[in-house]
Amino acid sequence: MQKSDRKPKFLKDYAPPDYLIEEVALDVALAPKAARVASKLRIRPNPKVATGGKPLVLDGEDLTLESLTLDGKALSPGDYEVKDGSLTIKRVPARPFTLEAFTTCDPEANTELSGLYLSRGTYCTQCEPEGFRRITYFLDRPDVLAVYTVRIEAERDAAPVLLSNGNPVARGDIPGTNRHFATWHDPFPKPSYLFALVGGNLAAVPDEFVTASGRKVALTIYVEPGKQDRCAWAMESLKRSMRWDEERFGREYDLDVFNIVAVSDFNMGAMENKGLNIFNDKLVLARPDTASDGDYVSIESVIAHEYFHNWTGDRVTCRDWFQLCLKEGLTVFRDQEFTGDTRSGAVERIGAVRILKSNQFPEDAGPLAHPVRPPSFIEINNFYTATVYEKGAEVCRMLQTLLGREGFRKGLDLYFERHDGEAVTVEDFVDAMADVSGRDLKQFMRWYTQAGTPELACSLDYDAHAKTARLTVSQIIPPTPGQAKKEPMLIPLKVGLIGANGDELPLTLADGTPLVDGLLEVTEREQVFEFRDIPAPPTPSLLRNFSAPVRLSTNLDPGQIEFLMAHDSDPFNRWQAAQTYATNLLTDGARDGGNIERVTGKEAARLAQALAVTSRDSSLLTAYRAEFLKLPGEADIARELSRNVDTDAVHGAREALRKKIGEEIRETLTELYEANADSGPYSPDPESAGRRAVRNAALDLLVATGDTSEIARAERHYRDATNMTDSIAALAILSHVQAPVRDKALDHFYARWQDEPLVLDKWFAVQARAASSSSVETVRTLLSHPKFSLKNPNRVRAVIGSFIHGNPTAFNRPDGAGYRLLAEQAIEIDGFNPHMAARLLGAFESWRILEPIRQARAKSVLQDLAARTLSTDSYEIVTKTLGEG
Ligand SMILES: [Zn+2]
């Protein structure tokens, strides 16, 4: 590994490049061990920088340099230096010049899956953030934008398909050989991280899209031969995304072709390379018998996400990697809006908030906390975080809430108009929003610079004499590493007041102004909002639609929360009320010396009855009703406890409440199970998927009773399943049951799906997530299974990822066996795929909230890790997690 420097880089040190590269011509001859890359770069001194004959320093990693010429003249080794991941040419002209480099790299040996590598015989690339330097020497930074022409050459039999960015311009055979070539040209200037190239024996699934202005775009999805019958959903999702972006944001596609390639070895979900998206095949391939409803939803949203990047990321890109949220936060926000418009806004919001709270809140509260725009990093690969993505999306959503849908759209239009073809900053984005709205957004910028989840405390007091209701709001932003003191944020707080009969009360502020949409703007550390003409004590509904990414505390009593569960007209808050009620019982039940009776007693019974009422309410969407039957997860409960967490107590409390609910409303659950049975062939539409979700959630609670007749029902559910959704739901439920039916079902599933990697991942994942006293041993058995490989990221995530994130009671086993298992595996993976290892090690982020024995175990494993020779990626995570970085 050539990365030797572990010094942090700082946003404040940003300097524009000394040189610009305007044109790139690449000629790539694919071969497994030595791919030859001839690059011809048109370079000029940056007119905005006093370059004054400075040396030209290009990035390069794991390359073999064969030759170098400048304006056609060969350079001798004395003219340049190759060292520490860079190529320095000591003297270059002070005018535009052409640099030609001839290098080779080894795709077969590329186990980092960054740069050019082979995935099951297919050549593919991953260049974000710094993979292009593993293909050729370059100014590998996002503010160097060039126009690319790429010629690819390969053996015709091994790689009949040759793809790159942009439009195809030529292809043909190379006479007298068994080789052929293809040439691609991308007219849009782009940074090197958006470069892509693919060569392989792939099957094409073609289609077509006609843009709003009537241009025809050829769409193709490329997959392993034999998998063409699993592309229909991805293609349909792509076409709907293209239409939606035209209608909602006025963004039209700009090339003649749009290609998607699915590969099986991929570190991430997918990559938005201009005109040539490369996907983890998990997020493309779907057929009713192999993919669940959840898979269908993920495919739809990730296809949309990568497509939307064409404007937010590709046409307007980031100046530097500190601005990553500029493209990711905004594009996640756009894909969430797409899913909300396509399916149900409330269900989408609930899903997004669940992810935010379970992934981002712990990050914000732990040693790895960083602002949405981090001020420094050691390894940029470690900053593809929930904070940058999910909180980044919330920041965009708050802007839309403050400016209104139309105002936000205008701001985005202005942003594209001003910056098309540029590499820009968060300030440029927020300035466009400020300019269209005439608002001062200086205070709002703190969302990008201050880490930590603001804590918003709200209390409502009613004055019967004056007929006023006073809402007192205070905000505290907790200290985070490197940021002890915080300034107050601008927090959009959506509220409503509900009368005793369940009606919404009109809101009028003390000065007589009506409050449109119930939107308050909190700007001070403490603020009071007074509403007048309130005839009787109301129940407040606060933070409607989760209008800001904050932790809310209120002075509501259980009766008021129960009232909101039944009457809140804001669907998100109605669901949130049920979650809050359950969370309060669960945290009490799981607290040290806690009261387990609370989760089995009268209040639990009241919760169960309220859930029964909502889940039976046929005026509500089925997918929405299903959300009520899913209790807060163990990690959610741990997060709310926030200290001295005993993960076994959390698990115990949650299991007890599930059992109680199952027993209490067994009749309703049985009814829901029976009434929502599928009839006819599988369809992934939201209504059908919602029915399956209600049915499977009801089954889960019924089996939680432990009753043998319910276990038998689950067994039948597995046996009669006609699609993967039901099949895997039943298998997951049975995997928690300590009875022979468990092994029978698992064996059956394996026998049926052992040759289907993506389905087999589910078999691995279900077992790694099943909580039992022998989970660690089960996971060890899975790791030595002949079908397991540490080299395939999807399988690693299925086993190790599911265990560390989906089985908290086993991962946090008091003897530290779970921690040791993760450390051992991460060390091994770190040797060949550091990004992957560092990601897994992130699971230690919440070790400080645990009770002392587990804390000590985790700390000693972390200290042992820190004492080893790790990659830069893992080193950064481990030392920061320990708090010694
Ligand atoms: Zn993205």
Side-chain angles (χ1 to χ4, degrees):
M1 223 138 292
Q2 296 171 357
K3 282 179 194 164
S4 56
D5 98 80
R6 285 179 167 180
K7 283 191 219 96
K9 298 172 186 72
F10 294 93
L11 167 60
K12 63 179 167 53
D13 294 340
Y14 171 84
D18 293 333
Y19 294 92
L20 301 175
I21 301 177
E22 291 174 325
E23 274 171 62
V24 178
L26 287 184
D27 196 337
V28 182
L30 294 173
K33 289 188 197 316
R36 292 176 296 126
V37 179
S39 84
K40 187 173 179 179
L41 311 178
R42 190 72 188 148
I43 304 178
R44 67 177 176 127
N46 187 348
K48 291 185 183 147
V49 175
T51 304
K54 276 192 202 161
L56 172 68
V57 184
L58 300 177
D59 305 297
E61 208 178 281
D62 289 348
L63 299 173
T64 307
L65 179 62
E66 308 279 350
S67 71
L68 203 56
T69 68
L70 200 156
D71 282 341
K73 276 200 348 222
L75 296 182
S76 63
D79 299 326
Y80 60 87
E81 189 181 19
V82 176
K83 183 175 110 181
D84 290 342
S86 67
L87 163 67
T88 304
I89 301 167
K90 293 163 192 163
R91 255 198 303 270
V92 295
R95 49 162 176 80
F97 59 94
T98 300
L99 185 76
E100 289 174 87
F102 189 76
T103 55
T104 60
C105 60
D106 185 345
E108 207 172 67
N110 185 351
T111 55
E112 284 187 42
L113 313 185
S114 160
L116 174 63
Y117 67 94
L118 270 165
S119 168
R120 284 169 54 117
T122 298
Y123 293 93
C124 64
T125 56
Q126 170 56 34
C127 291
E128 184 180 2
E130 296 179 336
F132 193 68
R133 65 187 62 185
R134 296 163 59 80
I135 298 173
T136 188
Y137 286 105
F138 205 73
L139 290 172
D140 193 11
R141 44 187 288 169
D143 56 355
V144 173
L145 280 69
V147 170
Y148 287 65
T149 305
V150 180
R151 181 183 175 281
I152 317 160
E153 187 189 310
E155 277 184 29
R156 214 178 300 117
D157 294 342
V161 172
L162 299 173
L163 308 169
S164 190
N165 314 90
N167 296 319
V169 290
R171 60 175 302 159
D173 290 330
I174 299 168
T177 70
N178 56 358
R179 297 175 75 78
H180 73 146
F181 76 95
T183 307
W184 292 78
H185 177 73
D186 182 0
F188 295 96
K190 65 169 175 288
S192 51
Y193 83 85
L194 290 172
F195 168 82
L197 167 164
V198 169
N201 180 16
L202 298 164
V205 177
D207 208 322
E208 189 184 78
F209 180 81
V210 180
T211 68
S213 68
R215 279 188 325 101
K216 278 186 185 162
V217 181
L219 311 176
T220 310
I221 298 180
Y222 291 92
V223 291
E224 270 180 27
K227 306 227 163 125
Q228 295 94 311
D229 64 341
R230 301 185 197 185
C231 299
W233 179 250
M235 186 61 90
E236 195 191 317
S237 302
L238 173 61
K239 289 192 283 185
R240 278 192 278 112
S241 311
M242 294 177 89
R243 188 63 72 216
W244 182 88
D245 212 16
E246 292 178 344
E247 289 169 356
R248 174 78 188 267
F249 286 110
R251 296 296 118 196
E252 198 174 309
Y253 187 63
D254 48 12
L255 290 164
D256 304 336
V257 300
F258 186 80
N259 291 317
I260 289 176
V261 177
V263 298
S264 33
D265 302 287
F266 207 69
N267 272 343
M268 288 163 278
M271 178 64 209
E272 70 262 25
N273 318 296
K274 181 78 187 183
L276 175 57
N277 289 0
I278 298 182
F279 269 67
N280 187 327
D281 60 0
K282 178 183 163 61
L283 291 162
V284 171
L285 303 175
R287 214 173 51 192
D289 61 332
T290 62
S292 67
D293 290 331
D295 296 327
Y296 276 82
V297 173
S298 304
I299 290 168
E300 181 184 72
S301 88
V302 180
I303 290 270
H305 177 96
E306 304 307 334
Y307 172 73
F308 296 154
H309 268 312
N310 190 56
W311 277 94
T312 48
D314 297 5
R315 287 286 285 260
V316 181
T317 195
C318 302
R319 187 192 71 175
D320 52 72
W321 289 123
F322 297 100
Q323 322 290 332
L324 183 58
C325 66
L326 181 64
K327 76 175 178 79
E328 293 307 341
L330 179 54
T331 307
V332 170
F333 167 70
R334 273 152 53 69
D335 83 54
Q336 290 174 350
E337 289 289 276
F338 166 73
T339 305
D341 286 356
T342 309
R343 293 169 175 268
S344 141
V347 176
E348 159 57 28
R349 193 69 191 126
I350 288 168
V353 173
R354 272 194 211 271
I355 291 172
L356 181 82
K357 286 188 173 176
S358 63
N359 298 346
Q360 200 276 327
F361 277 22
E363 191 167 271
D364 238 356
L368 302 175
H370 54 274
V372 169
R373 180 171 65 184
S376 73
F377 58 76
I378 299 177
E379 173 54 61
I380 180 57
N381 270 299
N382 287 334
F383 282 82
Y384 287 74
T385 60
T387 299
V388 168
Y389 279 67
E390 321 304 335
K391 190 174 180 181
E394 292 298 320
V395 173
C396 294
R397 181 175 301 281
M398 285 189 285
L399 279 172
Q400 178 174 267
T401 302
L402 291 167
L403 270 62
R405 250 197 191 210
E406 225 174 284
F408 184 81
R409 162 73 196 266
K410 276 189 193 146
L412 210 52
D413 285 348
L414 181 63
Y415 171 70
F416 292 129
E417 193 186 310
R418 278 182 182 167
H419 300 296
D420 189 8
E422 292 181 2
V424 302
T425 62
V426 164
E427 280 77 3
D428 294 318
F429 173 69
V430 177
D431 282 351
M433 295 293 162
D435 290 350
V436 293
S437 62
R439 288 187 60 131
D440 179 350
L441 294 172
K442 258 193 217 86
Q443 187 180 10
F444 187 82
M445 280 300 294
R446 288 177 190 154
W447 283 105
Y448 288 100
T449 56
Q450 294 193 147
T453 306
E455 293 167 10
L456 205 63
C458 295
S459 64
L460 188 82
D461 299 297
Y462 180 69
D463 183 335
H465 179 72
K467 304 263 184 265
T468 57
R470 282 163 62 89
L471 181 67
T472 307
V473 183
S474 66
Q475 56 166 311
I476 296 172
I477 305 128
T480 48
Q483 289 188 333
K485 287 221 175 76
K486 309 283 168 84
E487 297 299 319
M489 313 277 253
L490 165 53
I491 299 174
L493 175 64
K494 275 197 143 188
V495 302
L497 296 180
I498 304 170
N501 60 356
D503 286 350
E504 271 311 295
L505 301 174
L507 299 179
T508 309
L509 292 169
D511 65 2
T513 19
L515 190 64
V516 184
D517 292 340
L519 180 64
L520 299 172
E521 293 186 16
V522 180
T523 54
E524 314 283 324
R525 287 189 202 278
E526 185 163 317
Q527 238 165 313
V528 176
F529 301 93
E530 193 174 289
F531 302 100
R532 69 180 211 193
D533 309 327
I534 307 291
T539 301
S541 167
L542 301 163
L543 200 66
R544 286 189 151 174
N545 203 35
F546 203 69
S547 58
V550 299
R551 290 173 69 120
L552 176 71
S553 64
T554 67
N555 64 342
L556 296 182
D557 60 44
Q560 287 175 301
I561 299 173
E562 211 181 321
F563 178 81
L564 291 173
M565 257 195 271
H567 297 291
D568 203 322
S569 66
D570 181 79
F572 176 85
N573 263 16
R574 185 170 172 187
W575 168 82
Q576 181 60 61
Q579 292 284 303
T580 304
Y581 196 100
T583 303
N584 290 345
L585 296 186
L586 288 163
T587 47
D588 248 29
R591 204 161 273 139
D592 190 24
N595 180 2
I596 195 81
E597 270 99 68
R598 269 203 86 188
V599 292
T600 56
K602 251 195 301 193
E603 283 169 290
R606 293 178 72 90
L607 172 67
Q609 294 305 335
L611 296 181
V613 171
T614 312
S615 57
R616 268 199 315 252
D617 185 344
S618 57
S619 71
L620 303 168
L621 286 177
T622 47
Y624 177 69
R625 286 150 59 191
E627 294 298 333
F628 281 79
L629 297 177
K630 299 177 200 159
L631 290 184
E634 290 174 30
D636 300 311
I637 304 160
R639 186 189 65 241
E640 290 305 316
L641 287 168
S642 82
R643 58 185 203 87
N644 209 19
V645 173
D646 171 350
T647 42
D648 289 341
V650 170
H651 179 71
R654 188 171 182 276
E655 289 305 295
L657 182 58
R658 288 175 65 235
K659 185 170 193 290
K660 173 73 179 170
I661 294 172
E663 287 165 352
E664 196 67 31
I665 57 168
R666 192 162 166 184
E667 229 169 278
T668 301
L669 294 169
T670 308
E671 229 175 87
L672 286 171
Y673 180 82
E674 279 161 8
N676 286 290
D678 251 338
S679 56
Y682 173 90
S683 157
D685 71 273
E687 177 54 29
S688 310
R691 275 204 311 275
R692 284 185 289 271
V694 166
R695 199 165 188 244
N696 286 321
L699 179 65
D700 183 50
L701 291 169
L702 287 168
V703 175
T705 60
D707 192 293
T708 47
S709 68
E710 299 302 350
I711 295 170
R713 189 200 298 273
E715 203 184 354
R716 280 198 307 280
H717 192 71
Y718 176 77
R719 204 186 51 214
D720 299 344
T722 57
N723 56 68
M724 183 50 69
T725 306
D726 289 337
S727 175
I728 198 66
L731 192 69
I733 290 168
L734 289 172
S735 74
H736 292 271
V737 173
Q738 304 302 325
V741 298
R742 173 187 188 272
D743 294 340
K744 214 175 110 194
L746 283 167
D747 290 348
H748 175 268
F749 193 91
Y750 181 80
R752 173 149 186 218
W753 296 114
Q754 54 181 316
D755 296 321
E756 289 289 346
L758 293 173
V759 185
L760 196 59
D761 283 339
K762 296 178 190 297
W763 179 83
F764 276 106
V766 152
Q767 294 178 78
R769 272 197 290 262
S772 86
S773 55
S774 57
S775 292
V776 174
E777 290 69 26
T778 304
V779 171
R780 287 201 181 279
T781 312
L782 295 175
L783 290 171
S784 55
H785 192 281
K787 296 265 183 186
F788 182 81
S789 162
L790 280 181
K791 294 273 165 74
N792 177 252
N794 283 351
R795 192 125 309 161
V796 169
R797 281 186 283 258
V799 178
I800 305 172
S802 299
F803 170 67
I804 59 183
H805 297 297
N807 197 345
T809 168
F811 174 56
N812 296 293
R813 213 166 85 172
D815 65 358
Y819 304 145
R820 287 194 298 276
L821 185 146
L822 170 58
E824 281 163 28
Q825 300 302 316
I827 289 166
E828 204 175 326
I829 296 169
D830 200 43
F832 59 87
N833 189 344
H835 313 338
M836 188 78 209
R839 261 201 174 262
L840 295 172
L841 289 168
F844 281 110
E845 71 182 351
S846 297
W847 69 280
R848 282 184 197 276
I849 70 167
L850 299 167
E851 51 75 32
I853 293 170
R854 288 176 173 88
Q855 258 197 48
R857 300 275 189 216
K859 188 174 183 180
S860 101
V861 170
L862 281 164
Q863 282 169 332
D864 175 60
L865 279 165
R868 290 170 181 267
T869 311
L870 297 174
S871 68
T872 310
D873 306 56
S874 295
Y875 168 84
E876 181 175 27
I877 297 292
V878 168
T879 51
K880 283 186 175 169
T881 303
L882 266 172
E884 291 163 13

